[in-house]
Amino acid sequence: MGSVARVTTINARSEESFDAAVRLGMERAQQTLRGVSGGWVKEQKVEASDGRITAWSVVLEVTFILED
């Protein structure tokens, strides 16, 4: 017997770091979706003001297994 997975896109933003943005996105995905099995960072970007980075954003592709 096999399994079927689906991929969904999540955007997450943090004022701390890319790592924090990824953690936030994956934690939120796991609260909403059942069967999350992984994810990958598709895009990264930063916001800046006065020459300083003010926020880090990621676009995540999150994989979850569809239930029977």
Side-chain angles (χ1 to χ4, degrees):
M1 182 185 251
S3 62
V4 177
R6 182 174 179 144
V7 176
T8 191
T9 302
I10 303 270
N11 297 296
R13 180 181 176 274
S14 169
E15 294 178 354
E16 296 175 24
S17 66
F18 282 125
D19 286 345
V22 171
R23 255 191 325 277
L24 176 67
M26 290 301 291
E27 287 170 2
R28 184 65 177 96
Q30 291 175 12
Q31 290 173 0
T32 306
L33 304 168
R34 289 187 299 275
V36 172
S37 62
W40 69 92
V41 177
K42 184 176 178 181
E43 296 178 29
Q44 295 180 318
K45 71 176 185 175
V46 295
E47 296 172 29
S49 178
D50 296 324
R52 297 187 62 163
I53 296 174
T54 57
W56 292 259
S57 299
V58 294
V59 175
L60 299 169
E61 295 288 329
V62 177
T63 303
F64 59 101
I65 305 301
L66 298 177
E67 297 177 346
D68 292 332

